[in-house]
Amino acid sequence: MKKLTKSQDNRVLTGTLAGIADYFGIDPTIARVIFVFMIFFLEGTPILLYLLMMLLVPKAESGNRTYQQPYESSARSQAKQAEAVSDDPWSDF
């Protein structure tokens, strides 16, 4: 059985919308876009609903979230050598 919880891995403010997206099996970006449109069409009522859910929905229990440096493996590799460029002044055209 699925349980509605706030996302700890994909959150912008509190993880509430990402948790709703996880619950329904959709992309969190789609849930956020729908929320913004609902704010305009329903005259701000979704903001009150969001604040209520922010307080009532529990946080998800997350495992060990480790930060991985994105360029760790490429920093250890050798630098590439530049290619030779011809001295022709019209080579850019």
Side-chain angles (χ1 to χ4, degrees), residues 7 10 14-22 27-28 31-33 35-36 50:
S7 175
N10 189 2
T14 62
T16 305
L17 291 175
I20 292 170
D22 289 341
D27 186 38
R32 292 176 183 125
V33 169
F35 178 74
V36 169
Y50 181 84

Side-chain angles (χ1 to χ4, degrees), residues 30-67:
I30 294 172
R32 292 176 183 125
V33 169
I34 290 170
F35 178 74
V36 169
F37 281 119
M38 285 175 53
I39 289 173
F40 290 113
F41 290 121
L42 299 177
E43 299 176 359
T45 305
I47 295 173
L48 296 174
L49 181 63
Y50 181 84
L51 293 172
L52 182 67
M53 291 185 72
M54 180 179 70
L55 297 172
L56 296 178
V57 175
K59 289 183 181 179
E61 294 182 17
S62 63
N64 293 334
R65 291 183 2 181
T66 58
Y67 176 74

